[in-house]
Amino acid sequence: MERLGVGAVGLGWLRAAPGIGAAAMMVVLAIRPLRHHVGVSLFSAVALFGAATIVLGATRSYVVAFAALIVLAAADALSVFIRVTLVPLSAPPKTRGRVLAVENVFIGASNELGAFESGVTGQWLGPGPAVVLGGFATLVVAATWSRLFPALRHTNHFPAPAED
């Protein structure tokens, strides 16, 4: 990759970096489970993901890009862990299946729309600026949702599972 001055082996390590970051976060959560400040942790993880994305898009350093990929994947793993734990525990038992089905449809659709948007933005702006813009958009979403959903932000711990 010309921008980072690496060959196939370097690109292979960049491809592995997100897996390393996500696996490291899962090990951390296995050793030290998240018990408090769930809402703040969720929004912080999303914001960290956005900040690391900005660093990734702006850097021309291979080492910085590698570290940014590890950090953004770890932050993403944490936010996904919180969401996939919080949603079913918060949903009433009678509607849990429907809530999870709707959530999966929206997540699947957002991934596809995001891939389309990234391709179009990358074509218009170039890869680096498109990645930086995506990181800034993530920061805006984290800040906006944190303000729009204060109850989520103030969630201190995961709820106990509801009885059927």
Side-chain angles (χ1 to χ4, degrees), residues 50 52-58 72 121-122 125-138:
T53 301
I54 292 167
V55 170
L56 176 65
L72 73 83
T121 307
L125 302 176
V131 171
V132 169
L133 180 62
F136 277 115
T138 301

Side-chain angles (χ1 to χ4, degrees), residues 22-50:
M25 178 54 70
M26 291 299 105
V27 169
V28 167
L29 287 171
I31 294 169
R32 190 169 179 264
L34 181 62
R35 298 187 198 279
H36 301 288
H37 310 294
V38 171
V40 170
S41 296
L42 173 63
F43 288 117
S44 297
V46 174
L48 181 58
F49 175 88

